[in-house]
Amino acid sequence: MELYLDQIIQKKKRMDGEQLMSGELDNSFNALMVSGEGESGQAHHEGTGTTLLGWKDLPMELLLRILSMAGDDRMVIVGSGVCTGWRDTLEWGVTNLSLSWCQAHMNDLVMSLAQKFTKLQVLSLRQIKPQLEDSAVEAVANNCHDLRELDLSRSFRLSDRSLYALAHGCPHLTRLNISGCSNFSDAALAYLSSQCKNLKCLNLCGCVRAVSDRALQAIACNCGQLQSLNLGWCDSVTDKGVTSLASGCPELRALDLYESVVALANGCPHLRSLGLYYCQNITDRAMYSLAANSRRVRSKGRSWDAAARKNAGAGADGLASLNISQCTALTPPAVQAVCDSFPALHTCPERHSLIISGCLSLTSVHCACAHHPHRHGRAILSNHAY
């Protein structure tokens, strides 16, 4: 494995890294030497008094800054092979890494790097074609215990082994994207939620076996801080699962699903974004429930007064984005009721947040801007004031 990584490092040096390392970086270092020369002709780091004889003597903060400006995580891997000092600095200092650029042998690369970059907090392993296997995820879980954000989307080869490994090794996860991982079971997902209770953002789009009412009940029971949940293409979810989310995840702000929203309207007063595209079984009952929820919020003293309307886009409660494209069962009166209840929803082109494409019957639905052009004009001026 070490030989394989060394081959990658050497190849990267010859290709993208060679000019930067031997050319621009050398010129920059020479400039640093000249500007910092003392009487001895050697550069000194003012903060520590350390003599800078070459790249290997750069302070850790400066080295990390230089590589971050390169804008390519491949340079981090190249840099870790320059010398022992650089390797140690990067292994301890790098907390954010993306290997999504890797189109071949990602599994081997992850297994090698996981043992070195143990301080990672953010790791993206998104793939164009499936490469990752359980062994790589297990390596991450066994070494990167401080991980907070992980993207494993389109990892079609992964099994429940990966979720169990993450549950044991990465309990501090707050964001997890496993969209398209169709081999996971609902039992494994439920167990993950019992160990990773700090999850705030969870993407389960296309996890058709994992997303069930049982799994959603476990998530609702364990992940009370959840704010964003994507359940797209998960057709096993029923009102039972959605109802459990409504009672257990009151902080939900964004939800993408294909089933009923009645329970969500009742239980999630902070909901700001809702995607129901292609939910052709969604009926007017869901829309009227959303509108009724807005009235309940007003009755509790959180009304959309003039100040709230003015600052609707600055974090005030209430729907600010609703996608009901291709929801052909909805009628204009029901959708208009939602639009009237949430001032942050707009059909006007400049502030398009109520999306109704594919619904020819809803063309008569308009936001308040259409009836009060002067209000629309003030909103535009306000948006451009900053």
Side-chain angles (χ1 to χ4, degrees), residues 203-244:
N203 191 336
L204 303 174
C205 181
C207 298
V208 292
R209 292 184 58 238
V211 178
S212 65
D213 289 339
R214 173 189 175 187
L216 293 186
Q217 288 173 329
I219 291 172
C221 179
N222 296 311
C223 305
Q225 302 178 53
L226 198 65
Q227 297 181 3
S228 177
L229 180 62
N230 190 329
L231 302 177
W233 304 102
C234 299
D235 54 7
S236 298
V237 179
T238 70
D239 284 348
K240 184 178 180 181
V242 175
T243 301
S244 64

Side-chain angles (χ1 to χ4, degrees), residues 26-75:
D26 282 340
N27 292 337
S28 300
F29 182 74
N30 290 335
L32 177 64
M33 292 285 286
V34 171
S35 62
E37 281 182 356
E39 294 182 358
S40 63
Q42 296 177 338
H44 297 270
H45 184 257
E46 295 182 1
T48 63
T50 303
T51 301
L52 302 180
L53 299 176
W55 283 109
K56 63 183 179 62
D57 299 314
L58 284 177
M60 181 177 71
E61 296 82 1
L62 181 55
L63 172 58
L64 293 174
R65 176 62 175 166
I66 291 173
L67 290 181
S68 68
M69 293 177 65
D72 191 336
D73 284 347
R74 283 172 285 194
M75 291 299 299

